[in-house]
């Protein structure tokens, strides 16, 4: 627990020793006390014991000793007089005033004193419960946050063996309160967290009156049998029964990591979104972010998460730069937005299974993957709906609260998640569901995560699960950070849920002035910042940051493809429309064109282009939010886009082939007078559908809404008709129009379709009669060839390669636009 100081360490060491002696830090005396003081002060200040020993010896001399006994005071009074005795007693009284020490040496000095006191209280079994209570009392006087003290005590206790606390009687109360039968002195333990009740069949654990969740083998329970070998989670503690059921084994809590936000600001032009925001939070805490609409709550979380990094300031987690950690392993942070980012067509288990395949390493075994999914389902209480369709507000499925849990479960599949950010998790939920979500946030924090959630719900049932409120005022200024009861006092209201009505009663500057001068600010901000500052200065090399697991490109592609295919198959209405299109359009073309004319071939080709465009024009918009969530945790862009290409390509291929084969037989194109090869004609239509699908995906990548994308279809389809040569032959077009034909997909598709045969029919001057027209005549009339007999225009192979080039070009453009969106998301 070594600290760094710019002040004179000799003077600080002297003050530390005197103050430690004045508060009678330990029960030892004489040589043992001297040794403890020398060792602890040297360790805390980074001094040598040789340089500290004279200071301790002088402080322990009679002139600078601790509070006098009655006999010593009487002897001193007899020898030196009443006035000198009063002065000595006054010095002792002054030295015992921890507030003065805090004023003199600040937050860093107060922490150094606490470190000395903790080391002096530590025995072979760590710091006892009774000593912890004393240390917490000293911390309050020194203005040090209780959680800082708890982590420092836990650091010492982790060096000792777990404690074995006896279970006396048939009813054992466990909690933070000193009056508990088993006291767990930590601020994140409720005063009465749980009760153990002995019955005929052994012990049973029951949730305490606080409503804070308890966890049995990681799963929240309200009442359950407790046997040896099971782990009972109580706040940050994980305790267990011994084999005989007579003792409770209590290891020290796991180490907490501090998220230190240091003077971050963010601006867009002249507008300030965040202004000099600083605070420190620890894993294990639940932080409710509140404030008026537009104050900067989401901006703050976006700055912490790296979605929109701050322009100024630093953010670290456990001494490491947070954003470097997130670049190395995005799964360190989990974000659950207000909207449900899950596919409504999937069941709960299917959704988790596919998410696990995308998030976990390529070398994980199927059993491990299935185990993580099962764990997430049990952990979040989803067993009863694991086979239910998720649905959405417009598609009947599971309830809104259950969808929130499913959203959250995706972020828990990776074991490396340390931070969780929930945006309005209780919005739109009934009171019971809101309470359940708040309890879940508490459970997630107790398991070692730091949980932020933006909320406007400050009802007592929600706040009972919250450690601190972080209040943001307009202009992005932090005007309060502290426990809910402290918030009520600071804002002058009876309960925290009334503070929204107070925010506009004073200006942001007035609130800020009151906050910066408050005792709560000194405790929650200054002491916490001082506690993490040495750690933040001693930066851990980025090479030690946990890296994201290596993923398999092939497995991602297969997973994305299988999931997308399942989603499309579950959309029965959409599938029926897709597969009805070829039959319907084929019938229309067959009715309008009784003979195979150039117009009929054109309509076949145009229909195939339509199949491709219409099937894909909304696909990247529909699940863009889901994709951005998966992209944040490391999903690759190319497998995602290829999966759409494969599934949609299969569907569009079936549509094109079905309609082409249907009309091929209706028109008898296999006849000698037409000479159309079935394989060649179907192949050209497949390429046309593929090019149309790639164009539709590109539009889907560019557009921000499905309505805009669908509105683009006529704007794209009409030029395909106008510049294809079917309405005006190329030879009669103006130069600009002729130039536009070279950038029109339908021009190549139509030309290629014509060249898969040898001739067609055209209407004669006599109604109802048709005349045959060889292919070169058709091409000449359309302007697709010159008058030369040997010139047939572009070859079929060149036209097919042009269609392939269009498809590949649109796909690359789609990839580029998606990449740009991902960077700006």
């Amino acid at each position: 627990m070594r600290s760094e100081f710019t002040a004179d360490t000799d003077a600080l060491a002297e003050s530390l020793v005197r103050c430690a002696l004045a508060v009678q830090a330990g029960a030892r005396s004489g040589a043992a006390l001297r040794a403890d003081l020398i060792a602890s002060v040297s360790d805390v200040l980074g001094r040598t014991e040789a340089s500290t020993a004279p200071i301790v010896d002088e402080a322990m001399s009679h002139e600078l000793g601790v509070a006098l006994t009655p006999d010593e005071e009487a002897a001193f009074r007899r020898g030196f007089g009443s006035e000198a005795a009063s002065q000595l007693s006054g010095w002792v009284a002054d030295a015992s005033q921890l507030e003065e020490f805090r004023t003199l040496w600040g937050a860093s000095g107060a922490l150094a004193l606490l470190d000395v006191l903790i080391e002096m209280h530590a025995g072979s079994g760590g710091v006892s419960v009774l000593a912890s209570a004393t240390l917490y009392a000293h911390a309050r006087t020194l203005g040090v946050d209780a959680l800082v003290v708890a982590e420092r005590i836990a650091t010492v206790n982790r060096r000792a063996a777990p404690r074995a606390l006896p279970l006396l009687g048939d009813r054992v109360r466990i909690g933070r309160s000193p009056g508990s039968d088993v006291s767990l002195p930590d601020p994140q333990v409720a005063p009465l967290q749980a009760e153990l009740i002995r019955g005929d069949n052994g012990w049973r654990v029951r949730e305490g009156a606080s409503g804070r969740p308890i966890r049995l083998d990681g799963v929240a329970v309200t009442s359950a049998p407790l046997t040896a070998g099971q782990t009972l989670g109580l706040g940050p503690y994980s305790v267990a029964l011994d084999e005989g059921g007579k003792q409770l084994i209590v290891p020290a809590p796991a180490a907490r990591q501090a998220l230190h936000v240091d003077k971050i600001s963010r601006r867009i032009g002249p507008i300030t979104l965040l202004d000099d925001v600083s605070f420190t939070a620890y894993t294990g805490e639940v932080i409710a972010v509140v404030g008026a609409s537009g104050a900067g709550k989401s901006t703050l979380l976006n700055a912490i998460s790296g979605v929109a990094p701050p322009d100024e300031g630093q953010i670290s987690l456990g001494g490491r730069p947070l954003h470097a950690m997130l670049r190395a392993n995005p799964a360190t942070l989990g974000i659950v937005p207000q909207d449900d980012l899950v596919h409504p067509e999937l069941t709960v288990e299917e959704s988790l299974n596919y998410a696990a395949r995308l998030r976990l390493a390529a070398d994980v075994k199927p059993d491990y993957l299935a185990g993580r999914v099962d764990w997430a389902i049990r952990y979040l209480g989803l067993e009863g709906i694991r086979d239910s369709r998720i649905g959405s507000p417009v598609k009947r499925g599971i309830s809104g609260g259950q969808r929130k849990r499913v959203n959250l479960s995706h972020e828990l599949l990776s074991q490396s998640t340390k931070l969780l950010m929930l945006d309005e998790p209780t919005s739109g939920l009934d009171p019971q569901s809101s309470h359940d979500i708040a309890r879940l946030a508490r459970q997630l924090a107790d398991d070692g995560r730091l949980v932020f959630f933006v909320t406007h719900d400050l009802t007592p049932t929600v706040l009972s699960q919250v450690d601190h409120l972080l209040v943001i005022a307009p202009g992005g200024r932090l005007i309060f950070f502290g426990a809910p009861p402290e918030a009520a006092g600071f804002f002058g209201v009876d309960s925290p849920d009334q503070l929204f009505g107070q925010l506009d009663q004073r200006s942001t500057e007035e609130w800020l002035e009151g906050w910066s001068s408050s005792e709560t600010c000194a405790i929650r901000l200054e002491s916490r910042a001082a506690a993490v500052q040495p750690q933040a200065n001693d930066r851990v090399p980025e090479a030690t940051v946990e890296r994201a697991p290596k993923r398999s490109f092939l497995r991602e592609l297969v997973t994305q493809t299988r999931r997308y295919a399942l989603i499309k198959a579950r959309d029965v209405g959409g599938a029926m429309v897709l597969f009805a299109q070829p039959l319907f359009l084929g019938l229309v073309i067959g009715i309008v064109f009784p003979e195979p004319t150039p117009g009929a071939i054109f309509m076949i080709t145009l229909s195939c282009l339509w199949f491709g465009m219409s099937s894909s024009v909304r696909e990247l918009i529909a699940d863009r939010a889901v994709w951005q969530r998966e992209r944040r945790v490391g999903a690759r862009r190319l497998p995602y886009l290829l999966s759409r290409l494969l599934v949609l390509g299969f569907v569009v291929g079936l549509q094109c082939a079905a309609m082409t084969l249907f009309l091929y037989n209706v028109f008898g194109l296999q006849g000698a007078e037409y000479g159309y090869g079935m394989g060649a004609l179907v192949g050209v239509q497949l390429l046309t559908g593929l090019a149309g699908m790639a164009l539709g995906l590109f539009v889907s990548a560019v557009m921000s809404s499905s309505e805009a994308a669908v509105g683009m279809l006529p704007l794209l389809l009409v030029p395909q008709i106008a510049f294809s040569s079917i309405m005006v032959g190329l030879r009669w077009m103006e130069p600009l129009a002729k130039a536009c034909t070279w950038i029109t997909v339908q021009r190549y598709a139509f030309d290629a379709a014509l060249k898969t045969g040898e001739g067609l029919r055209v209407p004669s001057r006599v109604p109802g009669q048709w005349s045959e027209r060889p292919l070169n005549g058709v091409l000449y009339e359309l302007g697709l060839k010159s008058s030369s007999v040997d010139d047939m225009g572009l070859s079929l192979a060149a036209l097919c390669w042009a269609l392939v080039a269009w498809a590949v070009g649109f796909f690359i453009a789609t990839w580029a636009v998606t990449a740009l969106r991902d960077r700006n998301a």
Side-chain angles (χ1 to χ4, degrees):
M1 290 185 287
R2 180 174 298 179
S3 303
E4 297 178 3
F5 299 91
T6 57
D8 180 5
T9 56
D10 283 343
L12 177 58
E14 183 177 342
S15 292
L16 284 175
V17 172
R18 288 180 175 180
C19 207
L21 290 170
V23 298
Q24 298 181 354
R28 303 177 185 84
S29 60
L33 178 60
R34 176 181 181 274
D36 281 347
L37 274 172
I38 292 173
S40 58
V41 172
S42 299
D43 179 64
V44 168
L45 298 184
R47 299 166 55 95
T48 63
E49 293 191 1
S51 64
T52 306
I55 296 174
V56 173
D57 291 337
E58 182 179 1
M60 292 186 67
S61 66
H62 184 73
E63 299 85 68
L64 301 175
V66 297
L68 303 178
T69 65
D71 291 338
E72 288 173 331
E73 184 178 356
F76 191 90
R77 188 179 300 277
R78 286 193 301 270
F80 297 95
S82 298
E83 184 176 354
S86 298
Q87 291 177 348
L88 180 61
S89 298
W91 180 89
V92 172
D94 290 339
S96 68
Q97 297 302 309
L98 300 180
E99 296 95 333
E100 294 184 8
F101 183 91
R102 171 69 163 76
T103 302
L104 180 62
W105 293 104
S108 297
L111 288 171
L113 176 57
L114 276 173
D115 288 340
V116 170
L117 297 178
I118 290 170
E119 291 290 346
M120 294 180 68
H121 277 88
S124 58
V127 181
S128 67
V129 172
L130 183 60
S132 296
T134 302
L135 291 167
Y136 280 119
H138 292 332
R140 283 194 298 273
T141 306
L142 286 167
V144 176
D145 188 88
L147 194 60
V148 174
V149 184
E151 178 56 23
R152 280 166 140 73
I153 293 175
T155 300
V156 173
N157 287 345
R158 283 191 285 270
R159 303 198 298 252
R163 294 175 181 164
L165 304 179
L167 299 175
L168 305 177
D170 295 333
R171 193 182 197 89
V172 179
R173 297 173 300 166
I174 306 175
R176 184 181 73 238
S177 171
S180 302
D181 300 309
V182 173
S183 180
L184 302 178
D186 190 286
Q188 289 179 314
V189 177
L192 178 58
Q193 182 90 20
E195 289 183 303
L196 289 179
I197 302 171
R198 194 199 307 266
D200 295 337
N201 298 320
W203 290 99
R204 187 174 188 86
V205 63
R206 186 173 68 184
E207 188 179 277
S210 67
R212 292 280 182 113
I214 58 177
R215 305 163 332 267
L216 190 60
D217 289 337
V219 178
V221 297
T222 54
S223 179
L226 179 64
T227 59
Q230 290 183 300
T231 301
L232 178 62
L234 304 170
Y237 287 90
S238 295
V239 304
L241 283 175
D242 68 353
E243 290 296 332
K246 296 181 179 180
Q247 292 181 319
L248 198 64
I249 308 302
V250 183
R256 298 174 173 93
Q257 289 184 304
L259 175 73
H260 184 50
V261 177
D262 186 21
K263 298 181 179 179
I264 64 171
S265 298
R266 178 165 169 75
R267 298 175 181 86
I268 297 180
I271 301 175
T272 299
L273 303 179
L274 287 178
D275 191 3
D276 198 30
V277 173
S278 298
F279 66 91
T280 303
Y282 285 87
T283 53
E285 290 190 300
V286 178
I287 310 296
V289 183
V290 300
S293 297
K297 304 184 295 296
S298 297
T299 304
L300 173 62
L301 297 190
N302 288 340
I304 296 173
S305 65
V307 172
D311 301 317
E312 301 172 7
Q314 302 293 327
I315 304 173
S316 62
L317 177 64
R320 300 173 174 87
L322 176 61
H323 294 164
M325 296 176 66
L326 296 180
R327 287 191 296 271
N329 185 10
T332 303
L333 170 71
I335 301 177
V336 181
Q338 184 174 355
D339 297 329
D340 297 326
L341 299 186
V342 285
H343 294 100
E345 298 84 0
L346 302 179
T347 68
V348 171
E349 185 173 8
E350 288 170 345
S351 181
L352 282 169
N353 196 4
Y354 286 119
R357 291 177 178 275
L358 292 174
R359 291 168 181 257
L360 301 182
D363 57 352
V364 299
K365 304 298 182 183
D367 290 345
Y368 176 81
L369 190 146
R372 290 300 300 170
V373 172
D374 287 339
W375 172 85
I377 288 174
R378 286 186 292 104
Y379 187 84
L380 294 173
L382 301 172
E383 297 97 326
I385 58 169
R386 68 185 300 156
D387 296 321
S388 301
R389 294 273 185 94
I390 294 174
S392 67
V394 296
K395 293 183 179 179
R396 185 175 179 83
I398 60 179
S399 69
Q402 290 168 334
R403 278 199 302 273
K404 294 290 185 186
R405 290 173 176 264
V406 174
N407 270 278
L408 185 54
S409 65
H410 285 68
E411 303 297 336
L412 302 181
L413 292 169
S414 172
Q415 293 180 307
S416 58
T417 304
K418 296 297 181 185
L419 301 180
L420 276 173
M421 295 183 176
L422 316 180
D423 188 6
E424 295 282 3
T426 61
S427 176
L429 301 182
D430 61 84
Q432 182 58 49
S433 296
S434 297
H435 178 56
D436 292 342
I437 293 294
R439 279 175 56 87
L440 179 57
R442 176 76 265 159
Q443 178 185 343
L444 293 166
D446 288 344
D447 278 339
R449 303 175 185 89
L450 172 57
V451 180
F452 290 91
F453 72 89
V454 178
T455 185
H456 292 93
D457 186 354
L458 299 183
T459 55
T461 55
V462 172
L463 289 183
S464 65
Q465 312 298 325
V466 170
D467 292 296
H468 297 298
L469 295 181
L470 192 156
V471 184
I472 301 291
R477 301 302 300 269
L478 187 150
I479 60 170
F480 182 80
F481 179 75
E486 295 169 337
F490 178 78
F491 289 100
V493 294
D494 295 330
S495 60
D497 60 331
Q498 299 173 348
L499 68 84
F500 287 106
Q502 293 293 107
L503 292 178
D504 59 356
Q505 299 301 308
R506 299 169 63 182
S507 68
T508 299
E509 289 71 22
E510 290 175 320
W511 284 120
L512 192 62
E513 182 180 357
W515 163 243
S516 59
S517 61
S518 67
E519 182 65 19
T520 303
C521 179
I523 295 174
R524 301 301 185 193
L525 293 193
E526 295 176 14
S527 69
R528 287 190 173 207
V532 301
Q533 198 60 49
Q535 185 184 35
N537 289 335
D538 186 19
R539 295 294 185 189
V540 181
E542 189 170 333
T544 65
V545 174
E546 183 180 0
R547 301 290 169 179
K550 293 183 178 181
R551 297 180 174 93
S552 165
F553 180 92
L554 181 59
R555 190 169 86 168
E556 277 195 56
L557 177 59
V558 171
T559 300
Q560 292 275 17
T561 303
R562 289 178 57 187
R563 182 178 66 179
Y564 186 53
L566 182 59
I567 291 170
K568 298 300 288 184
R570 292 267 173 85
D571 185 7
V572 178
M576 291 177 64
V577 171
L578 287 176
F579 288 108
Q581 284 181 355
L583 177 60
F584 178 77
L585 293 181
L587 288 173
V588 170
I589 294 171
I591 293 171
V592 173
F593 300 96
E595 297 290 337
T597 66
I601 300 299
F602 174 82
M603 287 303 300
I604 295 173
T605 307
L606 184 66
S607 297
C608 290
L609 186 67
W610 163 262
F611 291 153
M613 293 172 61
S614 63
S615 67
S616 59
V617 76
R618 292 175 296 183
E619 293 307 295
L620 300 185
I621 299 172
D623 64 349
R624 179 169 290 153
V626 177
W627 157 247
Q628 289 175 349
R629 176 186 195 174
E630 293 177 344
R631 176 64 182 166
R632 181 182 56 77
V633 295
R636 291 182 177 92
R637 194 174 297 111
L638 187 56
Y640 167 72
L641 294 176
L642 283 176
S643 68
R644 271 59 187 165
L645 199 65
L646 291 173
V647 175
L648 293 176
F650 177 75
V651 174
V652 171
L654 287 179
Q655 288 179 300
C656 294
M659 192 190 70
T660 304
L661 290 173
F662 172 73
L663 291 174
Y664 182 83
N665 289 284
V666 167
F667 290 135
L669 294 175
Q670 70 275 22
E673 65 272 29
Y674 306 123
Y676 276 83
M678 182 178 67
L681 182 60
V682 171
V684 167
Q685 303 310 329
L686 290 178
L687 289 178
T688 303
L690 182 64
M693 182 186 63
L695 175 57
L697 283 175
F698 173 70
V699 172
S700 183
V702 172
M703 294 295 130
S704 298
S705 70
S706 296
E707 292 78 7
V710 172
M712 282 293 296
L713 284 177
L715 301 180
L716 295 172
L717 209 58
V718 170
Q720 302 297 327
I721 300 171
F723 296 117
S724 64
S725 78
I726 189 65
M727 302 187 72
V728 179
L730 266 64
R731 287 187 295 113
W732 291 278
M733 287 185 181
E734 296 294 329
L736 178 59
K738 187 176 291 187
C740 290
T741 65
W742 295 103
I743 56 172
T744 304
V745 176
Q746 180 65 8
R747 178 248 191 272
Y748 298 94
F750 181 37
D751 196 353
L754 290 172
K755 289 175 180 174
T756 60
E758 297 179 0
L760 290 169
R761 289 193 174 189
V762 295
S764 66
R765 295 184 178 181
V766 179
Q769 294 186 8
W770 303 83
S771 60
E772 295 183 6
R773 186 67 54 87
L775 179 61
N776 57 3
V778 173
L779 295 175
Y780 176 76
E781 291 176 0
L782 295 171
L784 298 174
K785 68 178 290 294
S786 67
S787 58
S788 173
V789 176
D790 296 330
D791 179 22
M792 294 294 289
L794 297 175
S795 68
L796 178 59
L799 293 168
C800 289
W801 279 114
L803 290 174
V804 171
W806 277 113
V808 173
F810 284 131
F811 184 79
I812 293 173
T814 299
W815 184 92
V817 172
T818 304
L820 183 63
R821 277 190 176 275
D822 292 343
R823 282 197 294 270
N824 296 333

